[in-house]
Amino acid sequence: MELFHLLVVVCLSLPSCLADGDDEFANYTITKRILPKHIAVGVATAAYQIEGAWNLDGKGEQVWDTFIHDNPSRVSDHTNGDVASDSYHFYKQDVAAMKEVGVNYYRFSIAWSRILPDGTLKKINQAGIDYYVNLFEELESKGIQAMVTLHHWDIPTALEKQGGWQNPKVVDWFVDYARLCYEKFGKYVQSWVTINEPKQICHAGYGLGVFAPGVVSPGVGEYLCARHVLLAHAKAWHVFDKEFRSKLKSRNTIVIDSDWYEPATHSKADAIAAEIKRQFVYGMYAHPIVYGNWPKIMIDNIAKYSKAQGFKQSRLPAFSQEEIELIKGTYDFLAVNHYTTYMVSALEDPNHVGGVSWDEDSGVNSYQKSTWKTAAIDWFKIVPWGFGKLLRWLKHTYGDKEIVITENGVSDTTGTLRDQHRIDYLQSYMSHMVDAIYDGVNVTSYTVWSIIDNFEWNQGFNAKLGMYYINMSDPEKRRIAKDSSKYLAKVIKTRCLIESGCE
Ligand code: BGC
């Protein structure tokens, strides 16, 4: 069947493909009230956003250190993560907060340059290893499991100087680093994530250049980065699978972020456009790990546009058959970070050839409704129903796979302790997730971003997503419970998502 017809058939047979962006759906809606007992609940952070100690005890520099030190105006409040929430010194407070909430697991990342200062095995920094061992032991003593991300956007600067994620050598650099982590920390870890959100690393970091390392190479460098990220992930997964799986009894995957993309109207053209956008976002990384290659629509679109733009070959680098076999199947479960939703419409002129970029390569329009509630960051529209639709789509597209929600949460600017808006967000998003579970989607875990206020990349400390407030000027960085932490604690205990009425 020709691709477009296939997409139409798939799309029209799925309730989640139909336009549903009416304003009445944009409120915090509660559809299901009870969180099933089998859903494990965790919280997440990332090294650069919480650790601080950017140059202490032998840590090497990584791209976010360099990116912001070189140009502080890249961050809206001109702050940086040099100290951040200072979890390097106060990690016990983080674990105490998690214990208070009663979470089952903690998802955090290891800073590559804290244990390998120049990114390679030339020098292993024992102080860095000790920091993580202490954290693992603290978690273990409180009965909290560990989900570890090996790479959350902080490639060592020494490697970036050699091209970073654009240099094919990064695959082996990453594999060496991953193997070291499996060896040193394996006995403490229940789940491994090789890489967090490749879309942000490659599109924001090597396409738009708004994230570190700030390389502006839309539609070219970002695809090279994506290719290397997938190969690095796949090789690191195979090392785990062959050398460590049987003795460590843990699991391993990659975290892919995806918004939900809703057709703007009930027209076939918009249904197809929305499906294309989903393939360009989640599919760009999930299709290779599940089926072994880029989604066909990406291969076709980028080849077509590249030719029309005068390139001698497609800007999307091809995988060899051997690479396809290497990448295929390198996941133990699907992991997804989700925050918001977009509407998608087809271009008026289907033959239009746009500029050279990932965005234009999808050949569709996307936008958000101004009537949707907005959190502290402008793209951050609160649309709970989009979450349920994304989950149903994942099952429909990739089969009946286990799905772990590795991030979900909401920002504000004040850090208020009376964060009812965060309770509303978590409640309605979880409720739509449970609705999808009732429809047969196999979600097993739900992770809130984040346990503590931390350094929110380009927003610095302007956007706060924690369930514990930190006054960043307080030298002791006390973690102070917000109402949302008490709400989540109650949900974990009672499984009831609402104030009362679950009985
Ligand atoms: C990232 C986090 C970030 C969160 C909120 C996710 O894309 O993994 O590092 O803080 O979004 O913006």
Side-chain angles (χ1 to χ4, degrees), residues 49 152-153 196-197 337 339 379 407 449 456-457 465:
Q49 295 179 269
H152 200 119
W153 311 353
N196 179 69
E197 299 191 354
N337 291 353
Y339 290 92
W379 58 263
E407 280 180 39
W449 183 279
E456 178 55 27
W457 310 109
L465 288 98

Side-chain angles (χ1 to χ4, degrees), residues 7 108 114 136 141 193 210 303:
L7 285 173
F108 63 96
R114 193 175 292 291
F136 282 121
S141 75
V193 166
V210 294

Side-chain angles (χ1 to χ4, degrees), residues 195-219:
I195 292 167
N196 179 69
E197 299 191 354
K199 175 186 162 206
Q200 305 306 334
I201 298 173
C202 297
H203 178 55
Y206 293 85
L208 301 176
V210 294
F211 275 8
V215 174
V216 181
S217 181

